[in-house]
Amino acid sequence: MDAPDIYVNISRRRFLRRSFVFSALATLGSFPHIAAASPLDPTAAEFLIIGDWGYDDDRAPQSDVARGMRLYAQQHSVKPQALLMLGDNWYGELDGGIHSPRWKTQFEEMYPADAFDCPAYAILGNHDYQRWPESKVDAELEYARTGKTRWTMPARWYRFEFPEKKPLITFIALDSNMPFADGSSSRGRDFTLTPQQQAEQLIWLKTELQRPRATPFLVVMGHHPIYSDGKHGDNLVLIRDWDPLFREHGVHLYLAGHDHDLQHLEIEHHPTTFFLSGGGGADLYDLKVDPSKRGPYAQRVYGFSHLSVTSKQLTLRHLDSNGRILHAFTKTSTGVITTL
Protein backbone atom coordinates (compact mmCIF):
# COMPACT_ATOMS: atom_id res chain seq x y z
CA MET A 1 0.00 0.00 0.00
CA ASP A 2 1.51 3.35 -0.97
CA ALA A 3 1.43 6.49 1.16
CA PRO A 4 -1.67 8.11 -0.46
CA ASP A 5 -3.70 4.93 0.14
CA ILE A 6 -2.58 4.86 3.75
CA TYR A 7 -3.56 8.49 4.18
CA VAL A 8 -7.06 7.88 2.80
CA ASN A 9 -7.55 4.94 5.16
CA ILE A 10 -6.37 6.97 8.13
CA SER A 11 -8.74 9.81 7.29
CA ARG A 12 -11.62 7.33 7.29
CA ARG A 13 -10.64 5.54 10.49
CA ARG A 14 -12.96 6.59 13.27
CA PHE A 15 -11.19 7.84 16.35
CA LEU A 16 -13.05 7.93 19.61
CA ARG A 17 -14.65 11.28 20.14
CA ARG A 18 -14.61 12.54 23.70
CA SER A 19 -18.42 12.40 23.98
CA PHE A 20 -18.50 8.77 22.78
CA VAL A 21 -15.31 7.38 24.23
CA PHE A 22 -17.03 5.33 26.95
CA SER A 23 -19.67 3.72 24.72
CA ALA A 24 -17.12 2.96 22.01
CA LEU A 25 -14.83 1.21 24.45
CA ALA A 26 -17.77 -0.72 25.80
CA THR A 27 -18.13 -2.37 22.39
CA LEU A 28 -14.69 -3.85 22.97
CA GLY A 29 -15.75 -5.45 26.23
CA SER A 30 -13.85 -2.71 28.02
CA PHE A 31 -16.55 -0.64 29.68
CA PRO A 32 -14.76 2.09 31.67
CA HIS A 33 -15.85 3.52 34.97
CA ILE A 34 -15.42 6.90 36.56
CA ALA A 35 -13.41 6.54 39.75
CA ALA A 36 -12.31 8.95 42.40
CA ALA A 37 -8.60 9.68 42.56
CA SER A 38 -6.98 7.02 44.71
CA PRO A 39 -3.75 7.00 46.72
CA LEU A 40 -0.66 5.42 45.22
CA ASP A 41 -0.34 1.66 45.61
CA PRO A 42 2.74 0.91 47.75
CA THR A 43 3.28 -2.37 45.88
CA ALA A 44 3.37 -0.74 42.44
CA ALA A 45 6.40 -0.29 40.22
CA GLU A 46 6.74 3.44 39.57
CA PHE A 47 8.11 5.31 36.54
CA LEU A 48 8.31 9.03 35.77
CA ILE A 49 8.20 9.98 32.11
CA ILE A 50 9.54 13.04 30.32
CA GLY A 51 10.09 13.90 26.67
CA ASP A 52 11.54 16.76 24.62
CA TRP A 53 13.47 18.17 27.55
CA GLY A 54 17.08 19.07 26.64
CA TYR A 55 16.38 22.47 25.14
CA ASP A 56 19.36 24.63 24.17
CA ASP A 57 17.67 28.03 24.36
CA ASP A 58 15.43 29.05 27.27
CA ARG A 59 16.03 26.37 29.93
CA ALA A 60 13.59 27.79 32.48
CA PRO A 61 10.70 25.52 31.41
CA GLN A 62 12.90 22.43 31.78
CA SER A 63 13.92 23.59 35.25
CA ASP A 64 10.28 24.20 36.19
CA VAL A 65 9.20 20.74 35.04
CA ALA A 66 12.14 19.08 36.79
CA ARG A 67 11.29 20.92 40.01
CA GLY A 68 7.69 19.83 39.66
CA MET A 69 8.83 16.22 39.28
CA ARG A 70 10.87 16.43 42.48
CA LEU A 71 8.03 18.03 44.45
CA TYR A 72 5.50 15.52 43.18
CA ALA A 73 7.76 12.60 44.10
CA GLN A 74 8.36 14.02 47.59
CA GLN A 75 4.75 14.92 48.35
CA HIS A 76 3.37 11.58 47.18
CA SER A 77 6.25 9.38 48.35
CA VAL A 78 6.93 8.24 44.80
CA LYS A 79 10.24 6.40 44.51
CA PRO A 80 10.56 5.77 40.78
CA GLN A 81 12.31 2.59 39.76
CA ALA A 82 13.26 4.31 36.51
CA LEU A 83 12.95 7.51 34.55
CA LEU A 84 11.76 7.09 30.98
CA MET A 85 13.34 9.71 28.69
CA LEU A 86 11.38 9.82 25.43
CA GLY A 87 13.87 11.53 23.13
CA ASP A 88 14.93 14.96 21.94
CA ASN A 89 17.36 14.72 24.80
CA TRP A 90 19.66 17.34 23.30
CA TYR A 91 18.64 20.24 21.11
CA GLY A 92 21.44 22.18 19.50
CA GLU A 93 25.11 21.57 20.11
CA LEU A 94 26.44 19.02 22.60
CA ASP A 95 29.90 20.55 22.62
CA GLY A 96 32.53 18.07 23.75
CA GLY A 97 30.34 14.98 23.31
CA ILE A 98 30.46 12.90 26.50
CA HIS A 99 32.50 15.68 28.15
CA SER A 100 29.94 18.40 27.46
CA PRO A 101 29.03 20.38 30.60
CA ARG A 102 25.38 20.02 29.56
CA TRP A 103 25.40 16.42 30.86
CA LYS A 104 25.97 17.80 34.36
CA THR A 105 23.70 20.84 34.26
CA GLN A 106 20.80 19.52 32.17
CA PHE A 107 20.73 15.88 33.21
CA GLU A 108 22.72 14.84 36.29
CA GLU A 109 21.84 17.94 38.34
CA MET A 110 18.49 18.69 36.68
CA TYR A 111 17.16 15.25 37.70
CA PRO A 112 19.40 14.64 40.74
CA ALA A 113 20.22 11.23 42.13
CA ASP A 114 19.04 12.19 45.62
CA ALA A 115 15.52 12.54 44.18
CA PHE A 116 15.70 9.97 41.39
CA ASP A 117 18.10 7.23 42.46
CA CYS A 118 17.31 4.98 39.52
CA PRO A 119 18.31 4.33 35.92
CA ALA A 120 17.13 6.74 33.24
CA TYR A 121 16.17 4.69 30.20
CA ALA A 122 16.55 6.90 27.13
CA ILE A 123 15.64 6.70 23.46
CA LEU A 124 16.64 8.90 20.55
CA GLY A 125 14.63 11.75 19.05
CA ASN A 126 15.00 13.68 15.82
CA HIS A 127 16.98 16.47 17.49
CA ASP A 128 19.40 13.87 18.81
CA TYR A 129 19.87 12.92 15.16
CA GLN A 130 21.42 16.29 14.31
CA ARG A 131 25.16 16.77 13.84
CA TRP A 132 26.52 19.92 15.53
CA PRO A 133 28.90 19.06 13.81
CA GLU A 134 29.53 15.64 15.43
CA SER A 135 26.93 12.93 16.04
CA LYS A 136 25.03 13.40 19.29
CA VAL A 137 23.73 9.84 18.86
CA ASP A 138 27.25 8.46 19.21
CA ALA A 139 27.86 10.67 22.26
CA GLU A 140 24.66 9.51 24.00
CA LEU A 141 25.49 5.84 23.44
CA GLU A 142 29.06 6.41 24.60
CA TYR A 143 28.01 8.35 27.71
CA ALA A 144 25.88 5.39 28.80
CA ARG A 145 28.92 3.12 28.49
CA THR A 146 31.01 5.17 30.92
CA GLY A 147 29.41 3.35 33.86
CA LYS A 148 29.41 6.53 35.93
CA THR A 149 25.88 7.70 35.27
CA ARG A 150 22.23 6.74 35.57
CA TRP A 151 21.90 7.45 31.83
CA THR A 152 20.93 4.12 30.26
CA MET A 153 21.01 3.57 26.50
CA PRO A 154 22.58 0.19 25.66
CA ALA A 155 21.69 0.50 21.96
CA ARG A 156 19.48 2.38 19.53
CA TRP A 157 16.77 -0.19 20.32
CA TYR A 158 16.60 -2.57 23.27
CA ARG A 159 14.34 -4.42 25.73
CA PHE A 160 14.08 -4.40 29.53
CA GLU A 161 11.73 -5.55 32.30
CA PHE A 162 10.75 -4.31 35.77
CA PRO A 163 11.04 -5.13 38.61
CA GLU A 164 14.06 -7.42 38.48
CA LYS A 165 12.29 -10.05 40.59
CA LYS A 166 8.83 -11.11 39.46
CA PRO A 167 8.68 -8.47 36.70
CA LEU A 168 5.35 -6.82 35.97
CA ILE A 169 6.08 -4.97 32.77
CA THR A 170 8.10 -5.48 29.60
CA PHE A 171 9.43 -2.42 27.76
CA ILE A 172 10.55 -2.41 24.14
CA ALA A 173 12.51 0.78 23.43
CA LEU A 174 12.68 1.68 19.75
CA ASP A 175 14.33 4.19 17.43
CA SER A 176 11.56 5.91 15.49
CA ASN A 177 13.88 8.09 13.38
CA MET A 178 13.06 6.67 9.96
CA PRO A 179 14.45 7.53 6.52
CA PHE A 180 12.59 10.14 4.53
CA ALA A 181 9.86 9.17 2.10
CA ASP A 182 12.33 9.07 -0.81
CA GLY A 183 14.51 6.56 1.06
CA SER A 184 17.30 9.03 1.84
CA SER A 185 18.68 9.29 5.38
CA SER A 186 20.40 12.66 5.39
CA ARG A 187 19.26 16.22 4.87
CA GLY A 188 21.77 18.86 5.84
CA ARG A 189 22.78 18.38 9.47
CA ASP A 190 19.81 16.03 10.08
CA PHE A 191 20.12 12.29 9.62
CA THR A 192 18.19 9.14 10.55
CA LEU A 193 18.54 5.40 10.68
CA THR A 194 19.73 4.06 7.36
CA PRO A 195 17.24 1.97 5.36
CA GLN A 196 19.30 -1.07 6.37
CA GLN A 197 19.04 -0.18 10.07
CA GLN A 198 15.33 0.45 9.67
CA ALA A 199 14.85 -3.04 8.22
CA GLU A 200 17.08 -4.57 10.90
CA GLN A 201 15.09 -2.95 13.70
CA LEU A 202 11.79 -4.10 12.21
CA ILE A 203 13.02 -7.71 12.10
CA TRP A 204 14.21 -7.37 15.70
CA LEU A 205 10.85 -5.91 16.78
CA LYS A 206 8.92 -8.77 15.18
CA THR A 207 11.18 -11.27 16.93
CA GLU A 208 10.78 -9.58 20.32
CA LEU A 209 7.01 -9.42 20.03
CA GLN A 210 6.91 -13.14 19.26
CA ARG A 211 9.01 -14.06 22.28
CA PRO A 212 7.19 -15.64 25.24
CA ARG A 213 6.46 -13.02 27.88
CA ALA A 214 5.88 -13.63 31.59
CA THR A 215 4.83 -10.07 32.45
CA PRO A 216 1.15 -9.04 32.34
CA PHE A 217 1.92 -5.78 30.48
CA LEU A 218 3.78 -4.87 27.31
CA VAL A 219 4.83 -1.27 26.59
CA VAL A 220 6.63 0.14 23.56
CA MET A 221 8.57 3.42 23.64
CA GLY A 222 9.40 5.54 20.60
CA HIS A 223 10.07 9.24 20.20
CA HIS A 224 7.66 9.86 17.33
CA PRO A 225 3.95 9.30 17.97
CA ILE A 226 2.11 6.91 15.69
CA TYR A 227 -1.06 8.96 16.11
CA SER A 228 -1.10 12.52 17.39
CA ASP A 229 -3.43 15.49 17.70
CA GLY A 230 -0.37 17.74 17.77
CA LYS A 231 1.66 19.70 15.25
CA HIS A 232 3.30 16.72 13.54
CA GLY A 233 0.15 14.65 13.17
CA ASP A 234 0.01 10.93 12.37
CA ASN A 235 3.17 9.15 11.21
CA LEU A 236 2.53 7.19 8.00
CA VAL A 237 5.72 5.12 8.20
CA LEU A 238 5.03 3.98 11.77
CA ILE A 239 1.39 3.29 10.91
CA ARG A 240 2.57 1.09 8.05
CA ASP A 241 5.38 -0.73 9.91
CA TRP A 242 4.52 -0.79 13.63
CA ASP A 243 0.78 -0.38 14.05
CA PRO A 244 -0.17 -3.79 12.56
CA LEU A 245 2.31 -5.49 14.91
CA PHE A 246 0.87 -3.66 17.92
CA ARG A 247 -2.59 -4.87 16.98
CA GLU A 248 -1.45 -8.44 16.34
CA HIS A 249 0.47 -8.78 19.60
CA GLY A 250 -1.81 -6.73 21.85
CA VAL A 251 0.65 -4.02 22.91
CA HIS A 252 -0.97 -2.34 25.90
CA LEU A 253 0.69 1.06 25.72
CA TYR A 254 2.79 3.17 23.34
CA LEU A 255 4.80 6.01 24.91
CA ALA A 256 6.02 8.87 22.71
CA GLY A 257 7.02 12.53 22.66
CA HIS A 258 7.94 14.72 19.66
CA ASP A 259 4.81 16.86 19.83
CA HIS A 260 5.39 19.34 22.64
CA ASP A 261 2.26 18.70 24.65
CA LEU A 262 0.53 15.98 26.70
CA GLN A 263 -1.92 13.58 25.05
CA HIS A 264 -3.92 10.40 25.58
CA LEU A 265 -5.55 8.84 22.50
CA GLU A 266 -7.77 5.77 22.23
CA ILE A 267 -8.66 4.29 18.83
CA GLU A 268 -11.75 2.21 18.30
CA HIS A 269 -11.05 -1.54 18.27
CA HIS A 270 -7.33 -0.97 18.92
CA PRO A 271 -5.65 -2.76 21.87
CA THR A 272 -3.01 -0.05 22.30
CA THR A 273 -3.33 3.16 24.29
CA PHE A 274 -1.32 6.04 22.79
CA PHE A 275 0.19 8.24 25.50
CA LEU A 276 2.30 11.27 24.56
CA SER A 277 4.52 13.17 26.99
CA GLY A 278 6.43 15.87 25.14
CA GLY A 279 6.19 18.81 27.55
CA GLY A 280 9.60 18.47 29.19
CA GLY A 281 11.04 21.87 28.37
CA ALA A 282 11.16 22.68 24.65
CA ASP A 283 8.87 25.36 23.20
CA LEU A 284 5.23 24.29 23.15
CA TYR A 285 3.24 23.56 19.99
CA ASP A 286 -0.39 24.29 19.24
CA LEU A 287 -2.67 21.28 18.84
CA LYS A 288 -3.71 20.49 15.28
CA VAL A 289 -6.80 18.44 16.16
CA ASP A 290 -9.27 19.55 18.80
CA PRO A 291 -9.25 17.03 21.67
CA SER A 292 -13.05 16.90 21.51
CA LYS A 293 -12.68 15.18 18.13
CA ARG A 294 -9.84 12.75 18.95
CA GLY A 295 -9.19 12.05 22.54
CA PRO A 296 -9.94 11.64 25.32
CA TYR A 297 -7.22 14.13 26.29
CA ALA A 298 -4.74 16.57 24.76
CA GLN A 299 -3.36 19.82 26.16
CA ARG A 300 -0.67 22.30 25.17
CA VAL A 301 1.18 22.45 28.47
CA TYR A 302 4.58 21.87 30.05
CA GLY A 303 4.67 18.80 32.24
CA PHE A 304 5.64 15.17 32.79
CA SER A 305 3.88 11.86 33.32
CA HIS A 306 3.70 9.06 35.87
CA LEU A 307 3.23 5.35 35.20
CA SER A 308 2.35 2.95 38.03
CA VAL A 309 2.23 -0.79 37.39
CA THR A 310 0.72 -3.60 39.47
CA SER A 311 -0.10 -7.16 38.48
CA LYS A 312 -3.67 -6.03 37.74
CA GLN A 313 -3.43 -2.64 36.04
CA LEU A 314 -1.49 0.27 34.66
CA THR A 315 -2.17 3.73 36.09
CA LEU A 316 -1.12 6.71 33.98
CA ARG A 317 -1.15 10.35 34.98
CA HIS A 318 -0.30 13.54 33.11
CA LEU A 319 0.94 16.34 35.39
CA ASP A 320 1.79 19.97 34.83
CA SER A 321 5.07 21.66 35.76
CA ASN A 322 3.79 22.17 39.31
CA GLY A 323 3.11 18.47 39.78
CA ARG A 324 -0.67 18.84 39.60
CA ILE A 325 -2.61 16.00 38.00
CA LEU A 326 -4.28 17.03 34.75
CA HIS A 327 -5.52 13.67 33.48
CA ALA A 328 -5.40 10.13 34.87
CA PHE A 329 -6.75 6.69 34.06
CA THR A 330 -6.13 2.98 34.63
CA LYS A 331 -5.95 0.12 32.14
CA THR A 332 -6.12 -3.59 32.91
CA SER A 333 -4.31 -6.29 30.96
CA THR A 334 -7.61 -7.08 29.24
CA GLY A 335 -8.09 -3.46 28.13
CA VAL A 336 -10.61 -2.14 30.65
CA ILE A 337 -10.06 1.62 30.99
CA THR A 338 -11.15 3.58 34.06
CA THR A 339 -10.83 7.36 34.19
CA LEU A 340 -9.71 8.82 37.51
Side-chain angles (χ1 to χ4, degrees):
M1 183 181 293
D2 56 21
D5 290 335
I6 295 174
Y7 182 82
V8 170
N9 286 340
I10 294 168
S11 66
R12 292 174 179 170
R13 183 180 289 117
R14 292 183 59 84
F15 280 74
L16 300 181
R17 295 177 182 271
R18 180 187 295 265
S19 57
F20 297 108
V21 63
F22 297 156
S23 60
L25 284 173
T27 66
L28 304 178
S30 305
F31 188 82
H33 307 276
I34 303 297
S38 57
L40 301 181
D41 187 333
T43 67
E46 309 286 357
F47 306 88
L48 294 183
I49 306 167
I50 188 169
D52 303 83
W53 48 273
Y55 208 42
D56 60 332
D57 191 6
D58 181 6
R59 301 179 185 178
Q62 183 194 6
S63 297
D64 291 342
V65 174
R67 183 169 54 251
M69 291 171 63
R70 294 194 299 272
L71 290 174
Y72 174 76
Q74 293 168 2
Q75 293 172 355
H76 297 276
S77 300
V78 176
K79 296 182 179 179
Q81 294 190 345
L83 302 180
L84 305 178
M85 321 296 280
L86 298 182
D88 278 3
N89 310 308
W90 300 117
Y91 294 74
E93 185 176 6
L94 190 63
D95 187 29
I98 65 170
H99 303 294
S100 172
R102 294 183 70 187
W103 284 108
K104 180 179 180 181
T105 58
Q106 284 189 268
F107 173 68
E108 303 288 359
E109 294 178 347
M110 189 72 71
Y111 314 104
D114 59 359
F116 310 114
D117 186 16
C118 59
Y121 287 92
I123 57 176
L124 296 163
N126 54 294
H127 281 277
D128 301 300
Y129 268 92
Q130 290 179 321
R131 296 183 177 96
W132 290 74
E134 287 78 23
S135 168
K136 291 182 284 186
V137 171
D138 292 342
E140 292 182 42
L141 291 166
E142 185 179 356
Y143 190 74
R145 291 192 292 266
T146 64
K148 301 177 181 179
T149 176
R150 292 163 294 146
W151 183 261
T152 305
M153 187 186 288
R156 283 179 168 88
W157 53 87
Y158 57 97
R159 174 179 177 146
F160 60 102
E161 296 180 341
F162 266 96
E164 184 176 345
K165 295 182 179 180
K166 297 181 180 180
L168 297 169
I169 187 166
T170 298
F171 290 94
I172 295 179
L174 297 178
D175 189 332
S176 62
N177 296 278
M178 301 299 177
F180 300 110
D182 60 4
S184 66
S185 58
S186 63
R187 185 181 296 168
R189 64 161 41 118
D190 300 328
F191 66 108
T192 69
L193 292 171
T194 65
Q196 293 77 18
Q197 289 171 323
Q198 179 185 14
E200 179 185 347
Q201 178 179 226
L202 187 58
I203 292 172
W204 179 88
L205 174 60
K206 291 177 180 178
T207 301
E208 291 300 313
L209 290 174
Q210 291 169 356
R211 281 177 54 186
R213 175 172 53 87
T215 61
F217 294 102
L218 175 60
V219 177
V220 177
M221 299 163 50
H223 175 67
H224 294 80
I226 298 177
Y227 302 104
S228 173
D229 286 354
K231 173 183 176 181
H232 295 101
D234 301 336
N235 188 304
L236 300 184
V237 174
L238 300 185
I239 289 172
R240 180 195 68 194
D241 290 351
W242 293 2
D243 189 74
L245 297 175
F246 288 12
R247 293 175 184 268
E248 178 184 355
H249 295 280
V251 172
H252 295 96
L253 176 66
Y254 180 66
L255 301 175
H258 192 49
D259 277 322
H260 301 174
D261 49 45
L262 303 177
Q263 297 185 47
H264 167 207
L265 301 180
E266 297 288 345
I267 303 173
E268 195 170 6
H269 304 302
H270 202 307
T272 307
T273 289
F274 297 91
F275 193 74
L276 282 67
S277 188
D283 55 321
L284 297 177
Y285 297 157
D286 291 331
L287 294 170
K288 188 171 72 171
V289 179
D290 191 286
S292 66
K293 297 180 179 180
R294 297 202 323 186
Y297 174 83
Q299 187 172 350
R300 180 186 184 274
V301 63
Y302 286 113
F304 61 100
S305 306
H306 177 198
L307 167 62
S308 299
V309 187
T310 67
S311 61
K312 296 181 179 180
Q313 67 183 23
L314 305 173
T315 302
L316 291 117
R317 302 171 177 88
H318 277 320
L319 305 105
D320 67 14
S321 57
N322 293 311
R324 294 179 296 209
I325 296 176
L326 302 172
H327 175 71
F329 64 98
T330 64
K331 183 174 185 175
T332 69
S333 60
T334 57
V336 178
I337 294 176
T338 302
T339 59
L340 300 180

